[in-house]
Amino acid sequence: LSFCSKLCYAIGGAPNQVAGSAAAFFLQIYLLDIAHISPFHASLVLFIGKASGAVTDPVAGFFISKSRWTKIGRLMPWMLACTPFTVMSYFFMWYLPPFVSGRVAWYLTFYCLFQALTTLFQVPYSALTMFLSTDQKERDSATAYRMTMEVLGTLIGAALQGQIVASAHVSHHCTVNTPDNATDSWHNTPSFPDPSDPLSHQVIYMIAAGVIGGVYLLGIVILFLGVKEKDDPYALNSDRAIPFCKGLGLTMKHGPYVKLTASFLLISTAVQLEQSNFVLFCTHAAGLRNHFQYLVVTILVSAAVSIPFWQKFLQRFGKKCAACGISWMIPFAVMLVTIPNLILAYFVAFVSGLSIAASLLLPWSMLPDVVDNFRLQNPHEKGHETIFYSSYVFFTKMSAGIGLGISAAGLEFTGYKPGICRQSNDVILTLKILIGAVPAILILVGLFILLFYPITEESRKETKLALEELR
């Protein structure tokens, strides 16, 4: 693969991460403090939206696996067709409708549409890795390029959104060092600016949504012009495409896939919880209201620059060994929760970025090895790649949706009040648990499951030789 091909492939996936990052970091606080939706309804929007995206994954895998080859490939038409509708749904997801009673239905509709449409892009895009090259090193290299650009996309999304909308979440009277025994009137003072301000919340969020929508269109153009999809290199003319239901059953019985999915299902849920609650934690529990956008950027810059390091590390020491890096964030997150200090917060953000980079790169680097292992055991079946990728994304999205729904419901239960300067002690304690204890437990259990993942560096080489012989 040429450098240009790998770069164009990587850029094509970045817009999804730009939009997903903006939503992951800011959608919950937007629904609570800008749209004035209760935490319970916000939890419904987040959970049902994630669930709709998850349900779309196997559906997308089913139809894509039955797609015929065209002049531009089998996967590329799906990505081209869904992009304009994705941009439209994303734009309206951040629009503040003039009515109040139907806002929950509005945000639920467009968040579900956005999640479903990004799935229709993500499934063929991630499966495209298998149709770029037959060489494992080239695919790993393309995956590293992709994850670097996706982390940069996550950085761009969070930075753009954070810088544009920061003024909607900063209130000068909330930055005063008022003692803990302040009067209830200060506790209940709204923190959002006067809506008569010309740069109201709606305009600010619309500008951010328009900018990110433009990034979407640019990314798909670069992907289409710079990447050439190849047909299945191992399939014989006599081979038949595996039926979707049969293929799904076989993947669920494939040991390496089950262990990999179970492990990163928990780890990705931990990362999602960190992302969605980090801004709320900085704003209400750590006294870092005026620094959250810079802390988010620190996390993502750290993640972006460390992807090449992790790629070299896993090539030298193996992929299972590199997974240990995911655990680095645990002690530092606990320190931030117990000692909410500004300098410590930036250090925690840097280390968390290193861990997040490892958690993003490893599953997508390990999944092609699982697909190769399955191919070796089922040599006369084809079309199983999209089944693996769609079902993997399904499980990770469902787990993330459940986690986000439970976290928002926890804020509702403990009495979160939108827009006030100081939340109750119960809310602050809940945010600390969601940032510190819960992700730590999920990551540790996920890494324990990964210990039983059977594909080693030696078995990868044996699989590669056997597939070359088959080819």
Side-chain angles (χ1 to χ4, degrees):
L1 287 175
S2 68
F3 167 77
C4 182
S5 293
K6 287 187 277 193
L7 185 61
C8 290
Y9 170 66
I11 291 173
N16 243 3
Q17 303 308 313
V18 172
S21 168
F25 280 108
F26 293 96
L27 184 58
Q28 181 163 269
I29 198 170
Y30 170 81
L31 294 174
L32 294 173
D33 287 0
I34 306 300
H36 296 175
I37 291 175
S38 71
F40 174 73
H41 288 127
S43 71
L44 286 180
V45 171
L46 293 171
F47 171 70
I48 297 175
K50 284 285 185 182
S52 68
V55 170
T56 310
D57 283 299
V59 176
F62 174 77
F63 286 108
I64 293 169
S65 66
K66 290 184 174 298
S67 299
R68 294 184 177 181
W69 183 266
T70 67
K71 291 182 179 179
I72 58 173
R74 186 161 59 93
L75 305 174
M76 190 68 72
W78 287 89
M79 294 180 274
L80 290 173
C82 70
T83 297
F85 300 102
T86 306
V87 173
M88 184 177 66
S89 63
Y90 181 81
F91 186 80
F92 284 111
M93 191 175 79
W94 299 99
Y95 177 71
L96 190 67
F99 48 83
V100 176
S101 59
R103 281 185 183 174
V104 175
W106 174 278
Y107 291 114
L108 183 60
T109 299
F110 284 104
Y111 187 51
C112 286
L113 274 175
F114 173 71
Q115 288 292 332
L117 289 166
T118 52
T119 294
L120 287 176
F121 180 94
Q122 191 66 28
V123 170
Y125 174 76
S126 55
L128 186 60
T129 309
M130 301 301 298
F131 300 97
L132 295 176
S133 173
T134 59
D135 187 83
Q136 289 180 349
K137 286 186 178 180
E138 287 298 301
R139 289 201 308 250
D140 285 347
S141 177
T143 300
Y145 273 77
R146 170 193 161 192
M147 297 319 300
T148 302
M149 290 305 301
E150 287 193 355
V151 173
L152 284 173
T154 305
L155 167 63
I156 292 168
L160 277 176
Q161 191 87 355
Q163 294 302 320
I164 294 173
V165 309
S167 61
H169 300 285
V170 173
S171 183
H172 296 294
H173 67 266
C174 284
T175 60
V176 179
N177 292 323
T178 308
D180 291 340
N181 59 355
T183 61
D184 290 338
S185 62
W186 184 80
H187 280 248
N188 295 319
T189 304
S191 66
F192 31 81
D194 185 355
S196 62
D197 189 285
L199 283 177
S200 63
H201 301 148
Q202 178 179 342
V203 175
I204 292 172
Y205 273 92
M206 287 285 86
I207 291 171
V211 171
I212 291 175
V215 173
Y216 246 112
L217 297 175
L218 178 63
I220 191 64
V221 170
I222 293 174
L223 178 68
F224 176 70
L225 296 178
V227 175
K228 184 178 180 182
E229 181 184 345
K230 299 175 182 178
D231 205 356
D232 189 343
Y234 296 119
L236 302 174
N237 292 332
S238 59
D239 289 350
R240 292 185 177 182
I242 188 171
F244 183 82
C245 292
K246 178 186 175 184
L248 190 60
L250 289 173
T251 59
M252 293 300 102
K253 296 175 183 176
H254 193 59
Y257 178 71
V258 171
K259 293 180 177 66
L260 179 70
T261 302
S263 172
F264 281 98
L265 179 148
L266 297 171
I267 292 170
S268 64
T269 302
V271 173
Q272 281 279 342
L273 284 173
E274 290 274 359
Q275 283 185 322
S276 63
N277 291 290
F278 187 76
V279 176
L280 283 171
F281 173 80
C282 291
T283 303
H284 298 298
L288 302 172
R289 181 185 296 270
N290 295 326
H291 296 273
F292 70 80
Q293 66 267 38
Y294 306 113
L295 289 167
V296 168
V297 169
T298 303
I299 291 173
L300 298 172
V301 168
S302 171
V305 298
S306 62
I307 288 283
F309 161 76
W310 286 118
Q311 175 64 13
K312 294 290 185 184
F313 187 95
L314 65 87
Q315 284 179 347
R316 183 166 183 178
F317 299 103
K319 297 178 182 180
K320 287 179 68 174
C321 185
C324 298
I326 300 171
S327 63
W328 291 358
M329 73 168 70
I330 295 175
F332 296 101
V334 173
M335 287 173 62
L336 179 62
V337 166
T338 53
I339 314 169
N341 175 273
L342 180 60
I343 296 175
L344 179 62
Y346 277 99
F347 186 64
V348 170
F350 174 78
V351 176
S352 296
L354 298 177
S355 296
I356 289 172
S359 71
L360 290 174
L361 175 63
L362 281 171
W364 297 111
S365 180
M366 297 166 86
L367 198 54
D369 302 334
V370 173
V371 176
D372 280 347
N373 183 271
F374 180 86
R375 157 69 78 180
L376 193 60
Q377 296 180 20
N378 301 270
H380 298 295
E381 304 283 1
K382 66 177 182 179
H384 56 281
E385 294 85 1
T386 52
I387 299 173
F388 272 99
Y389 281 88
S390 63
S391 56
Y392 175 78
V393 179
F394 166 78
F395 288 118
T396 53
K397 280 187 178 180
M398 278 298 292
S399 64
I402 293 169
L404 293 177
I406 291 173
S407 72
L411 294 175
E412 166 80 13
F413 180 75
T414 52
Y416 181 91
K417 294 181 180 178
I420 65 172
C421 291
R422 185 180 180 86
Q423 299 290 339
S424 68
N425 290 332
D426 289 341
V427 172
I428 293 172
L429 177 61
T430 302
L431 287 170
K432 288 181 177 180
I433 292 172
L434 292 172
I435 285 291
V438 177
I441 294 169
L442 292 173
I443 289 172
L444 289 174
V445 175
L447 292 176
F448 177 74
I449 295 172
L450 197 62
L451 290 175
F452 302 96
Y453 176 71
I455 298 179
T456 62
E457 295 306 303
E458 287 299 318
S459 65
R460 281 182 66 218
K461 293 176 182 177
E462 292 171 3
T463 302
K464 178 183 178 182
L465 290 173
L467 284 176
E468 287 177 354
E469 204 171 304
L470 173 69
R471 186 182 172 196

